[in-house]
Every structure is written in C-alpha cells, then in structure tokens.
Amino acid sequence: MIFCKPLPLKIAIFVVVLSPGVMAQEEAENDLSLLFSNMDVHGFYEMRSGWRSRKDEYEKDMSIMEQRLQIDVSSYLDWADFKVKGDIIGDMIDEQADFDLREAYIFTSPYDFMDLKIGRQVLTWGTGDLVFINDLFSKDWQSFFIGRDSEYLKAPSDAAKISLFSDIANLDIVYTPQFDSDRFISGERISYWNSNLGRIAGRDAIQHTDKPDRWLRDDEIAVRLYKNINNYEYALYSYHGYWKSPGGQNVAATRAIFPDLNVYGGSVRGNVGKGVGNLEFGYYESDDDQSGENGRINNSELRFLVGFTQEIGKDFTAGLQYYVEHMLDYSQHKNSSPSGLTRDRDRHLITVRLTKLLMNQNLRCSLFTYFSPSDKDVYMRPNINYKVNDNLAVEAGANIFFGDYPSTFFGQFQNDTNIYTALRYSF
Amino acid sequence: MKLLPVSIAIFIFSTVLFAADDTNATEKITDVEAIVNKANIVAYYQGNNGKAKVKMTITDKKGQARIREFIILRKDIKDGGDQMYYVYFLKPADIRKMVFMVHKHTDINKDDDRWLYLPGLDLVRRIAASDKRTSFVGSDFLYEDVSGRNLTEDLHELVETTDKYFVVKSVPKKPDTVEFSYFDVWIDRRTFVPMKMNFYDKKEKLYRVIESQKIEIIEAGQGDKVQKFPTVVKSVVSDLNTGSKTEMEFFNVKYDIALKDIFTERYLRRPPKEARR
C-alpha cells in the first residue's frame, strides 16, 4: 500500500504559477539560498509492536510491528511558508517498506483577509472528540484501531484550502480535486463483519472498492462559515462529495462503493459552567439514494452530538459526549436491504475520556471509551505515555472491543482486540 | 506681584506630579492596595503588548533537567484587566509548533478561555481548566505565576517597609480553593518589581519560593516617547517539598511592538511571524 502520489511535482507547478510575476534568475537563486538557510528539520524515530489478545483466524497474530522515521522539513520566504513531512516505514506485518507523505504544502497570505494552503495537508474542524460529524476529511481507521499514535487517525488530503476573514464571519473553503477516501477497514489488518458472507472476515475477503477517481470531476468541496462571539465559537458547514468509507455496494455485490454524499450542519462550542461544552449536528444526505429505497446504499441520516469536558481534579480531566445517528428512511431501507438489516434506526453512542497527568506531567494516563447502548458494544482505548526525557518517550496501550453481536460497529472488531508498546525518539 | 508664588507653587506641584510618574520617585505610595496594583502592572502589564523568548529549565531533585522553550506574545485589553496570551512552543521536539492561547479575564466570576492547537492533527482544542494553580507545562511555575494571580482573590497587608522593599502579606479570601495559607511578597520600592515571594502551606510552613534573580531595563518607543520598563529576565521557583526547581529566562524582550490581533483561531492554525521569527 503506497499512499504517495506524485504530489511534489504538483507543488512545484503551484509554486511556479503562484510566484509573483516571472522572477529574475538572480532573484530566484536568492530565494533558493534563503529557503535553505531558513530550513528547519525535525522528526522522530519510532518502534511500535502489538499483539492480538484473541485468536483471529483471518488475521496475523501480530497486530502491529513497525519502525518509522518521520522527517519534517519546513522553511519560508517573505511571501510563503513551505512544509514537507513524510514517514519512512518498515512494516514487518506487511513485510514491506512504505513511504507515507503526510504533508507537502505551500502556505501564503496574499491579502490581509486571505490565507491559502495548497498541497497535501491534514485538515480538521468540528467540535467532537474522536467523533466526527462535519469533519469529512480523511481518517485512517486502520491506524487508529491497530494502535498507532492518534496523530495517524487523520489521513492527509490533497487539497487547496482558501480562508477568508472578515468582521462579519470567516469562511474556509477546501477543494479536493480528486476524492480522498478514508483509509478504511478493508480486512487487511483488521477483521470485520462481511455482510455478503454473513460472517467475520479478514485477509480471506479483502474489500475491493470502486473508488471515484477522475481528476476535477470526482472532487470534494467542504465549506465552513464561522464566527467567534464572546468566545462562543459558532460554525456552519457544508460538504459535497462521497461517503468517505464505503457506503454501499455495486449491483453485483462484488465491490464496495462510495456513493454521493452531501452534508449540512452546524456547531457551537464555549465555556459552560466550570468546563467546556459543545453541540454539533449534521444532515447526511445520501444523494444516490434520496428515497432510501436502495438497500445497497447508505440511508440518509441526522447526526447529533453534545459534549462536556471539565477538570475534575488536579491535572485530571473528564470528558463526556452523547452522539446519535438517526436513519431517515429506515423502513424503506430495511425492506430493500438484501441481507436484512441488523442495525436499529438510531445508533446511540456515549463516549467518556479520562486523562490524568502525573510526575510533573511527564506521565499521562488516559482512557477513552466508546459505549453504544443500542448496539450493545464497547471500544476502549487505554494508554500510558511516559516521557523519559525531552527526547525519549515510551508508551503502552490497548484497543479493546467487545459486543453482543458480531455485526455492530465495534462488536465486529472483537477479535481485533490488541495491546501495543512503543518507543519514540523525537529530534 | 502676588500671583508669582502661586504660579511657582503650581509649577513645583506639577513637577512633583510629573516626577511621580517616574519610577524613581514613587516611594511616597504607602497604601497597600496602591502598592500591589502597581506591582501587578509592573510584573504583568508592561507596555500595551510584549514579546519574549522564554527558556524554562526544570530540574528535579535528582538533578535531571528538562527544557521548555517558547515564544510568548501578550496583549493587554486594559492595564490591570483582561489580557491575551499566545504561546508558541519551540522545545522539546514532541511539542514543537504547538500553540497555547489564553484570553485571561480578571472578572472573578468568569473563567479564562484557553485553546490548544495540535499541528499534527490540525486540531484546535478548547481546554477546560478552571484550576489556575496547576503546573504550567510540567514546570514548577503555575498558570497563575505566568499570567498573574487576581488581586481581588486575596486580602493584602503591608507588614513591613524596609530601605529597599515593601513587604506585603496576602491572605486568600477563599482558603479552600488554594494550597497555601498565605504568601509574602518583597516589592522593590524603587521599581515595584516583585523580587521574592514566599508561600506558606496550611501548617504555615514555608514550602515554595519564587525569586527574581535578574532585572533589566527594557526600552520601548522612539525619540521623546522612549519608555523604560524594569523587567524580570530571570526568575527561579523552588519547591521545597519536592526538591524540584524551575528557572525561567527571558530573551529578546520587546514592548509595544506592532502586533495585529493575532489572538484568534486564524493565528492558532497558522502562527504569525511574530511568534515564529
């Protein structure tokens, strides 16, 4: 699996196009030497290994075993910032070496009221804590479940982000010319519920997909209009693109597809009492199945989230969220579902985050728990991270899944329960 | 000419008033509220805004040291009132480019607004932190030491006036909200810089000391408008219970710089050049 597209070339083209006028060669050379003298190189080296705690006949016993070197190079000129960040990975589970280009962008503020960021970038917005409604930027669920650092939950997008600022409100527009899907659960590393087979599957039934991939036609656009009023952050969102993880099947049921999706939503966040509260909702319009009659395509949904975080002791924080997904055309969908639908109309989810810092904040103990009373399943993420010194950190954690049914969102991953340890040297 | 003595008197009086503005001649202040107010302005509100590079060295009782380095930008809404802080981390490597932002409120009923920006995730997180007496970035300095303790939270008493210092004892109005029973501050009578703070625990035993070890006069403005700001450029806090101490040094201190309104989400996501260069 190589995530690297020929992006540096695109960036180079952007740089040339965006350069103010045609630069004299001398000036260009000057810029180049400045670019090198302003250069800043950082990164980390990491070893990470993890084991499955339950026998999974469809996956390897080791859940993760990799070495990773991240190099982060940034520099700037008067008129722009540049950044390239990439990981070289020796993956002993896939038995191959990978290069994952995480960021490669140019940033500039051509006007006081405008910022531009073009290239490969990680993007996040919305108010949820590990729950996403209006953030439809790519996620890497596989990395999340096998115990990589939480930084890897966010997969990069190849996009242009235009930000406009005014006293009335601010506007972000993110244009992705070619659809970037999630790095979804395909069976490669995580076994999952395969509805066609009617059982748990993994490496024996890797999900193949038909992904929209036409440049400038199969594109995505995400918009956020936001304003801070007395430190309450209000935002409206809109997204036009595709379900980010497979949201249906082709007619022959041989391939997973990414049906059209539009999302409209809003959020607010701010201090409430002694803590921070947030509210967010979204209307998911499954555009390829407006009536909900196509059982092979995801139903339209309403999604709603409310959360509250508070410090409950010294260096001890607790966060609580309630989240619900409500299917809008449930009965049509259920009747037309080829394999019979197993989920309820509403999926309720409660999350609890507990974080305690100890030993001068060098030891961080945290537990994030998802619990769905409707699906009757649980996903727990305990993690302990100790900073041995300013460069070296050691870490241990687990991804624990359980549930009453093999087909629910987290219940399907029961056999993927794993524990992991890691050592990271940052420079 | 009867009028002359009056005008001379006015002249002398206005000179005194003018001189009273100069830090060298403010010894006349004896009212404790005026003293702590002035010391608060000197310690936390110099200029309308300020910038510095800060190096913190945290040394535990075994002698192991950890370094924190960051650029701090500050802007005052009102002297002695609300402020905004922007902290851009440079070291250690694992938190490099992280940004911490505070909108500080002196209204006792209003908690500060705090944000953290995590660049690896492009995530703007809102932080719930009502307790200001927790450690700042794992050091022996507390949030309150860095951005100032609200003067209205304590009762202040001038216990001694020496040749060099006003010694003020501050007793919290709500003792159950803090870990100390009181603290003493030695305020320089000439500059109003707090030179030393001694904190006493609930058993009235000294357990925490903050000392200003190096003061520099930083000039700001140009021509006739040059102002001189006495500034603590090195302070050390010692925790006598744990044996840990933290040294905080300030470099490239500047006041009244041309600073736009950078204390917003826009600049959390893309730190301004003032923070990075």
Side-chain angles (χ1 to χ4, degrees), chain A residues 314-316 356-365 384-390 394, chain B residues 58-62 64 66 68 135-140 239 242 244:
Chain A
K314 209 168 197 76
D315 283 328
F316 189 26
K356 172 81 180 164
L357 303 176
L358 297 152
M359 302 170 77
N360 296 330
Q361 301 182 356
N362 291 312
L363 179 67
R364 187 186 65 224
C365 302
I384 295 175
N385 184 300
Y386 178 65
K387 291 185 184 182
V388 181
N389 57 40
D390 281 343
V394 288
Chain B
I58 308 158
T59 312
D60 66 16
K61 64 167 184 264
K62 291 178 204 151
Q64 197 196 2
R66 293 173 196 259
R68 306 278 178 271
S135 159
F136 180 69
V137 293
S139 74
D140 296 294
D239 188 321
T242 62
S244 166

Side-chain angles (χ1 to χ4, degrees), chain A residues 139 141 220 226 361:
Chain A
K139 319 285 184 309
W141 294 108
E220 294 171 274
Y226 67 102
Q361 301 182 356

Side-chain angles (χ1 to χ4, degrees), chain A residues 74-91:
Chain A
S74 53
S75 186
Y76 60 89
L77 294 172
D78 270 351
W79 57 276
D81 297 342
F82 304 86
K83 181 164 180 180
V84 177
K85 181 164 118 180
D87 290 10
I88 300 158
I89 310 143
D91 191 323

Side-chain angles (χ1 to χ4, degrees), chain B residues 97-99 115-119 122-125 268-269:
Chain B
K97 292 192 174 179
M98 209 181 262
V99 182
W115 291 263
L116 195 65
Y117 176 67
L118 308 174
D122 186 37
L123 177 66
V124 175
R125 186 180 282 168
L268 268 179
R269 288 182 186 266

Side-chain angles (χ1 to χ4, degrees), chain A residues 13-26:
Chain A
I13 292 166
F14 276 126
V15 172
V16 172
V17 171
L18 282 178
S19 300
V22 182
M23 279 190 289
Q25 196 183 348
E26 197 178 316

Side-chain angles (χ1 to χ4, degrees), chain B residues 59-170:
Chain B
T59 312
D60 66 16
K61 64 167 184 264
K62 291 178 204 151
Q64 197 196 2
R66 293 173 196 259
I67 307 288
R68 306 278 178 271
E69 236 177 70
F70 50 88
I71 302 279
I72 187 160
L73 293 160
R74 165 183 59 84
K75 186 180 178 178
D76 304 339
I77 307 292
K78 186 173 158 261
D79 259 4
D82 287 5
Q83 287 182 312
M84 295 185 281
Y85 286 92
Y86 186 104
V87 179
Y88 179 71
F89 287 97
L90 305 169
K91 277 180 190 171
D94 65 327
I95 58 166
R96 203 177 62 89
K97 292 192 174 179
M98 209 181 262
V99 182
F100 175 60
M101 184 170 81
V102 183
H103 289 187
K104 174 183 135 183
H105 305 295
T106 41
D107 178 349
I108 207 135
N109 297 312
K110 199 173 173 192
D111 277 325
D112 294 351
D113 292 288
R114 294 181 185 174
W115 291 263
L116 195 65
Y117 176 67
L118 308 174
L121 288 159
D122 186 37
L123 177 66
V124 175
R125 186 180 282 168
R126 194 81 182 235
I127 312 181
S130 47
D131 186 0
K132 291 172 191 164
R133 295 202 65 77
T134 52
S135 159
F136 180 69
V137 293
S139 74
D140 296 294
F141 283 99
L142 310 179
Y143 279 97
E144 235 171 38
D145 302 323
V146 178
S147 66
R149 177 168 169 81
N150 199 322
L151 293 178
T152 60
E153 292 201 74
D154 305 309
L155 290 168
H156 310 281
E157 184 196 345
L158 181 62
V159 289
E160 199 187 350
T161 305
T162 70
D163 289 353
K164 289 182 77 178
Y165 305 112
F166 295 117
V167 185
V168 175
K169 180 179 178 178
S170 300

